[in-house]
Amino acid sequence: MASSYFSHDSNARNDDKIINLRMKYGMEGYGIYFCIIERLRDEPSYTAKKDYNAIGFDLHADAEKVRNVVESFGLFSFTDDGECFYSESLNNRMAHMDGKRTKRSEAGKKGAAKRWDSKAMAMPTKTDSKAMAMPTETDSKAMAMPTETDGNKTKLNKTKENKTKDSLSGGRVQEKSAFSRWQEVWGFPNAVAQQDLADWVSEFGDELVTWVIDYAARRAVQARAADKYLDRVLTQYREQDIKTVEQAEAEAKQHEKTAKANAPRPQRYGKQARQETTPDWAKPDYKAPEVSVTDDQQEEIQARLAALKKLEESKSD
């Protein structure tokens, strides 16, 4: 399945060219378009001949609609001789994907060659065979494993139990392969993830890749983002020359410490106390400003006071 994979944007339907296609042919045209993209993905050069009858027969679609989808909306490009067509978007995606896979494969081969050095892993020669000879019957007694009668049953069981337990040093899990750990965290890996895991284990080693999977699990990375997350982390390890779990743990602690220091402080919520200022007229030392009144204003005031007095007297009668 890995050979048939290609990336697909979740908002492809909102592309201007796709919108024009959907306006003309609806979701039928949209389906024809992506079926053609899938056919191109399966071609060795990601290019197909303009045999619209054959394509229409394969897709159970009208050949004229197929021709219009290919030629009328600017979704495809054509070779110089005009006999074949291709998708520039698909080609760009596949070039990135093919280059990435090649880079991983080369890095994996280099890592494997470094670890499995022919001199370090050479088989013993005929001269050395005596030194590696199997123990004789006489020696076998001295090398025999302790039995239950030796009183070591409890000790042996405890040792076996400790090997199978998780020995965490920042989350490291022992005695588990990267593949099985992936399956425990995110389920059975698809073909792309399996190939990526094989490349990563070949380059970085099973223990380090397993540790990264556990670290991703503690950070609640979802299954759909697992492959990209590990690729990003291990690419960083390659750039930083991180090769051991101890180095990865130290880098993770430093990263978490920096992230915590730079995290914004939580905002405090609640009703703030209302602050009011005392007006000048309410202050103890307040003095009313002096107001000058003209003679005409004084006469008007006296006339109004006289009218009010007269009104009060009439009410009392």
Side-chain angles (χ1 to χ4, degrees), residues 13-32:
R13 65 189 182 281
N14 296 323
D15 180 83
D16 291 341
K17 297 176 182 178
I18 296 294
I19 289 176
N20 291 332
L21 171 66
R22 289 167 52 201
M23 290 173 62
K24 177 72 174 179
Y25 292 116
M27 296 309 294
E28 180 186 7
Y30 191 59
I32 292 174

Side-chain angles (χ1 to χ4, degrees), residues 120-297:
M121 298 297 294
M123 294 297 291
T125 62
K126 186 175 181 180
T127 306
D128 299 329
S129 60
K130 294 181 180 179
M132 298 190 65
M134 293 298 291
T136 62
E137 183 177 356
T138 305
D139 298 330
S140 62
K141 295 180 180 180
M143 297 183 65
M145 292 296 290
T147 63
E148 295 182 10
T149 57
D150 294 330
N152 293 323
K153 180 178 179 181
T154 303
K155 184 177 180 181
L156 289 173
N157 290 341
K158 190 171 183 180
T159 302
K160 184 177 180 180
E161 180 182 356
N162 290 338
K163 286 185 178 180
T164 57
K165 282 186 176 180
D166 292 348
S167 175
L168 290 182
S169 175
R172 180 164 69 242
V173 177
Q174 301 290 349
E175 305 298 335
K176 289 186 177 180
S177 69
F179 184 91
S180 61
R181 188 63 182 136
W182 180 294
Q183 189 172 356
E184 291 175 3
V185 176
W186 295 302
F188 193 82
N190 60 27
V192 176
Q194 290 181 38
Q195 181 61 50
D196 290 342
L197 272 173
D199 294 341
W200 291 330
V201 170
S202 179
E203 180 179 359
F204 295 96
D206 189 77
E207 184 182 17
L208 181 57
V209 176
T210 302
W211 184 90
V212 177
I213 294 174
D214 286 319
Y215 185 71
R218 296 199 305 276
R219 295 178 66 87
V221 174
Q222 299 298 314
R224 62 179 180 274
D227 205 2
K228 291 183 179 180
Y229 180 84
L230 263 71
D231 182 53
R232 183 169 67 252
V233 172
L234 292 172
T235 298
Q236 176 185 341
Y237 286 1
R238 185 185 299 113
E239 295 172 353
Q240 296 178 346
D241 198 28
I242 293 177
K243 300 178 180 178
T244 66
V245 172
E246 288 72 18
Q247 291 174 323
E249 290 171 351
E251 193 279 334
K253 290 179 180 178
Q254 181 61 37
H255 175 76
E256 293 172 357
K257 182 178 179 181
T258 303
K260 185 177 180 181
N262 296 334
R265 294 183 178 180
Q267 184 177 357
R268 294 182 178 179
Y269 296 93
K271 188 176 181 180
Q272 296 182 351
R274 182 178 179 183
Q275 297 182 355
E276 297 182 353
T277 56
T278 304
D280 293 339
W281 58 266
K283 295 179 181 178
D285 57 347
Y286 175 75
K287 293 182 179 180
E290 296 181 358
V291 181
S292 59
V293 181
T294 63
D295 294 340
D296 293 339
Q297 290 174 336

